[in-house]
Amino acid sequence: MLSRLKRIIEYIRNLNLSIDRYKESTIIQSLPSVAYVNRAKKMLEENKAEEAEAVLLEALNLTEKDPLVYKYLGMVYDKKHEHSKAVDAYKKSAQICYTDKNIWQKLGFAQMSCHDYEEAEKSFENSDKIAPANSDTFTGWGMALMKQKKYSEAREKFVIASRINKYNFTAIFLAAVCEIKIGEHKEAEAKLTFLANVCPNETNTYEFANLKFIKKDYKNAKHYALKSLEFNKNMLPSYLLLGKLYTLESDREKALEMYATAAKRELNNSNLYTEWGKSLLKFTDFDEAEKKLVKALEYDGENAESMAYLALVRMIKHNDDEVLIQMAADGGADTAVIELTKAVREFNNGEYDLALANFRKIENEEFEFLISYYLAKINEFKKNNTKTIDFYEKSMSLNPYFLACGLDYVKFLISDNEFAEAQRKLRKIVKIYEKDLEVLNLQFFVSYTLVKGNVCEYNIKEAISLAEKIIRISGSDFRYYKEKEELENLLKNSKESE
C-alpha cells in the first residue's frame, strides 16, 4: 500500500514537472487568456474600446506571452487613436508570434500613423514575406514610400496592389497621384478617367481637376473642381484650385469668392491664406495680399512659400524685409520669387542696370506682368520710348487690374503729349476702377486738354459731366475746379454765339 502511494506521488511530481517545462517552452500557457480576448473582441465590435482595453490588461496578469492579447490591445489603441501605444503592442505580438499573417500589416499602418515611414516600409515588407500577394499590404507599402517622396517605387507597389485586387480603387487612385508627381500624365489620366466613371468621389475628382490644370486644360479643370465640391462642400483643395483658375481668367470676384467661401466653412490653414494672398497680389491689391500672407504665417510660421510672397509684396510696397527673404530662401522657397524680390529691391534703390539684367533672367509666367511693368519703368527712365510703350502694353494686357501700371502708362503718355492715346487707356482702366479718384481726375484732365485743343460742344459736355461725377463721389478730392469753370464758360459762350 505504501509502495503504491509513493508511486502515485512520484507520478504527480513528474506530471507537474512536465507541465512546468511545457509552460516554459510554449506560449500555450496563455490559453486561459483566450476567453479574455474573445470578450475584448466582442467589446471592440460594439465600439466599447475602454472596456476592451481593461479586459485585455487583465488578461496580461495571467500571461505576458499571448500574442493575441497584444494584437487586440494594439487594435484597441488604434481605435482610440493612441497610435504609439498601438505600435508597441503590435511589436510585442510580432515578437511572440513572428508568423502571424497580418500582425506586420497592422504594425505597418500604426507606424504610418506615427509618421515612422521607414519602419512602416520594413513592416509591410515582412508582411509580404509571411502572407504574400495581399493587396492591402502593397497599398500600405506604397503609402509608406509615397510619404518618403519615393514616387516611382510607390507607384510600383500601388500597381501591384491593384493587380491583386482590381477593386482596390485606393491603390489605383494613389498610383495616379504618383504618376502625376513623376510626370507620367498619360497613365495618370487613364486611371483617373476610369475612377471618374466607376467610383467618382471628391478626392479622385479633385485629382482629375488638378491633372487638367497641370496640362493647362483649364475648362475641364474647372468642371471637375466644381464637381468635386458637389461631392463634398468642404473640399479645400478644390476651392484653392478654383481660386487659381479664376485668377488666371482675371475674374477677381469669383476668385476671391472661392477663398472667402472656404474661410466661411472654417477650412482655415496656411495654404488657404497663401493662395488667397497670391491671388490678391495678381490683382495688385498689395495691402490685402500682405494681410492674408501674414495670416498664412500665423497658421504655419515655417511656410517658406508664404514668406517669399510676403517679402515680394513688401518689397513692391518699398518695405525691404531682408530677414524674411533669407528665411524664405533657407526654407526652399521658389527661386523665381526670391530673384524677383531682389530685382525689385535693385529698382527701388535706383540700380537700374543691375535690375534690368536680373529682371531679364527671370522666366516665370506668373510674374510676367510685374517684370514687364518694371522693364517699362526702367526704359522710361532711360528714355527708350518705344520699349517703354511695348512693356507697358504687355503688362496691361497680361493684367488689366494692375492700376499702378495703368496710371504710370497714362502719365507717360501725357508727358509725351499723347493725350488721345492716354484717353483711350483711361477708358479701359475706368471700366474696372470706375470710382477711383486718381483715375477719374486724370481722365478729366485729359478730356479738358483735348477739348481745349479741339472745342466741341459734345466733348465739353462730356468733360463737365465727368467733373460732376467726381464731385458727387468726393467734392474735396476733385482737383480741377478752375478748369471745370473754364469749360462751363466755353459751353456758355458757344451757345451764345449760336
Side-chain angles (χ1 to χ4, degrees), residues 285-310:
D285 189 343
F286 301 123
D287 291 336
E288 281 301 312
E290 183 175 12
K291 290 177 185 176
K292 294 296 184 284
L293 291 164
V294 167
K295 188 82 173 175
L297 288 170
E298 288 175 8
Y299 281 96
D300 179 3
E302 296 182 2
N303 189 326
E305 185 182 24
S306 307
M307 292 178 195
Y309 278 91
L310 180 57

Side-chain angles (χ1 to χ4, degrees), residues 306-316 319 321 324-325 341:
S306 307
M307 292 178 195
Y309 278 91
L310 180 57
L312 174 59
V313 168
R314 286 180 172 172
M315 193 67 76
I316 292 169
N319 180 3
D321 195 332
L324 196 62
I325 295 169
T341 305

